[in-house]
Amino acid sequence: MAKNAADLANPTRKNGNHKNGATKPGLRFGRYFTPEGSHAYDLIEWERRTAAITGEKGQLIFEQKDVEVPRSWSQLAINVVAQKYFRGGAGTPERETSVRQLIDRVVETLKKWGLEGAYFATDEDAQNWAEELRFLLVTQHASFNSPVWFNLGVPGRSQQGSACFINSVQDSMESILELVKTEGMLFKFGSGTGTNLSVLRSSREQLSGGGTASGPVSFMKGYDSFAGSIKSGGTTRRAAKMVILNADHPDIRDFIHSKADEEKKAWALIEAGYNVGFNVPGGAYDSVQFQNANHSVRVTDEFMQAV
C-alpha cells in the first residue's frame, strides 16, 4: 500500500460536466483520493476500542465497548462520536457500533437524494462521489456539522441538516410564543437558532390596553429557559442560540448588562454553597438566566464612526 492513498489514485481528475467535448446532464465525478474500483474503507486500518466518558469525580457517564474505529483516530474523537452521533438505543441491536455504519448512513442518504434529484450524470459518478466523500470523512479531512450526524438516514427523524436557522419575530404575543415552538423543534433535532428581537417594543412603552410592555429582555428569559431544557439532537449537548438587539433599541442598556447581572447572582449562590459546575441540576448556573445564548448588539456604520 502506498504511503498516501492519494498516490494510488488516477492522477487525472475527471470531475466536471464535459466528456469528449460534449455537455452531459448531471455532475461527473472521477477518483482523486481513492483508486478506481476500490472502496474507501479498504484503505484504512481498523481496530476495536472502548469509548468511555467519565465525570469530574471519575464516575462513568458513558461507555460503549467493542467500537470499530480507524486506528489513526484519537480516543477523544472516538468518545465523542460514539456518545453523540451513534444512533440506536444503548445495548440494543439497532445501536450503531462502527464508524463505518455512521458514515455509510449519512453518505448513502445523500447519494440516494442525489440520484433521485438527477444530480449525477451516471450511477458510476454517484458511486465515485460517495467513495471520495467516505474517504474524506473517515480520514478526518472533512466533517459534517452535528445535525447531519444526528439526523440523516435515521428512520423517524427529521432529515434536518442545517446547523443554524435565523428566525424572525413580530411584536405580538402570538408571534412571540410561536417563536418558542419554532426554536424548540429546531433544538430538538440538533440545530441552533438566532433572532433579532429589536422589533419588540421596549419595557418603557405603554400597551394599548393599559399597563407597560414586558420588553425583549423579559421574553429572553423564557427563550433561554427552553434552550437550556431541550437537549440538542436528543443528546447531552445544550441547544445553541443567539439573541440580537439593535444599538438604538430603548432597552439596549438592560440587554448589555443582562448577562453580567445574572453572573453576579451565580457567584452569590456559589458563595452560599451551591455547585459551581455548569450543566449541574440545581447548581448555581442552573439557577440563573441567560446561560444558553450569545447576546450580540447590532450596530450601524454611523454608530461605529460616531464612537
Side-chain angles (χ1 to χ4, degrees):
M1 179 176 173
K3 293 181 180 179
N4 191 313
D7 297 337
L8 300 175
N10 189 324
T12 303
R13 290 190 185 219
K14 296 181 181 179
N15 295 15
N17 282 341
H18 300 279
K19 186 177 182 181
N20 298 326
T23 301
K24 295 284 187 179
L27 299 173
R28 303 197 65 87
F29 289 91
R31 297 297 189 102
Y32 185 82
F33 295 103
T34 58
E36 293 286 348
S38 70
H39 196 291
Y41 297 152
D42 294 338
L43 308 177
I44 305 299
E45 292 185 72
W46 297 85
E47 64 182 14
R48 293 191 177 274
R49 289 196 231 168
T50 295
I53 297 177
T54 57
E56 296 177 356
K57 298 180 180 179
Q59 73 276 23
L60 189 64
I61 295 175
F62 168 84
E63 183 180 52
Q64 184 170 343
K65 298 180 179 180
D66 207 29
V67 177
E68 187 183 34
V69 297
R71 178 170 293 178
S72 61
W73 279 31
S74 70
Q75 188 61 43
L76 176 61
I78 295 165
N79 293 345
V80 170
V81 165
Q83 186 202 31
K84 301 291 186 183
Y85 300 143
F86 278 5
R87 300 293 89 178
T92 67
E94 292 76 25
R95 178 72 175 182
E96 291 174 336
T97 61
S98 172
V99 170
R100 299 179 196 242
Q101 293 173 295
L102 171 65
I103 293 176
D104 281 347
R105 166 166 59 80
V106 171
V107 172
E108 287 302 311
T109 298
L110 293 172
K111 186 180 79 170
K112 175 176 175 287
W113 291 345
L115 288 169
E116 291 174 349
Y119 280 90
F120 302 109
T122 66
D123 289 347
E124 181 182 0
D125 291 306
Q127 188 60 34
N128 287 341
W129 174 86
E131 293 304 330
E132 293 287 284
L133 180 56
R134 279 191 182 91
F135 182 85
L136 292 174
L137 296 172
V138 78
T139 56
Q140 297 180 307
H141 283 81
S143 182
F144 288 110
N145 58 36
S146 288
V148 169
W149 298 120
F150 286 151
N151 302 318
L152 265 59
V154 180
R157 288 186 69 87
S158 170
Q159 298 301 282
Q160 181 175 304
S162 296
C164 188
F165 289 80
I166 305 302
N167 300 306
S168 63
V169 65
Q170 301 302 317
D171 189 27
S172 70
M173 187 58 67
E174 291 80 6
S175 180
I176 291 169
L177 296 179
E178 185 65 27
L179 180 59
V180 174
K181 176 184 176 182
T182 299
E183 288 192 333
M185 296 308 295
L186 291 173
F187 293 151
K188 176 182 178 181
F189 294 108
S191 298
T193 71
T195 305
N196 189 323
L197 300 178
S198 299
V199 70
L200 302 184
R201 71 192 75 182
S202 81
S203 59
R204 294 159 176 78
E205 297 182 49
Q206 298 297 311
L207 296 172
S208 59
T212 306
S214 299
V217 175
S218 177
F219 287 114
M220 281 163 49
K221 296 177 182 178
Y223 294 140
D224 183 77
S225 295
F226 273 104
S229 298
I230 299 172
K231 302 303 182 184
S232 186
T235 72
T236 54
R237 192 186 77 160
R238 293 187 303 171
K241 178 173 171 57
M242 173 176 280
V243 182
I244 304 164
L245 205 66
N246 293 349
D248 59 357
H249 192 281
D251 287 351
I252 191 62
R253 289 181 181 272
D254 296 337
F255 179 82
I256 291 172
H257 291 293
S258 59
K259 271 184 174 285
D261 290 343
E262 293 298 309
E263 184 72 15
K264 293 176 183 177
K265 296 178 186 178
W267 278 103
L269 291 171
I270 292 169
E271 291 175 358
Y274 283 80
N275 193 303
V276 69
F278 288 94
N279 296 325
V280 177
Y285 286 98
D286 187 55
S287 306
V288 298
Q289 299 290 334
F290 308 133
Q291 301 302 304
N292 304 291
N294 295 318
H295 292 185
S296 297
V297 177
R298 183 175 180 269
V299 299
T300 62
D301 290 342
E302 291 76 16
F303 178 91
M304 294 302 296
Q305 292 167 0
V307 299

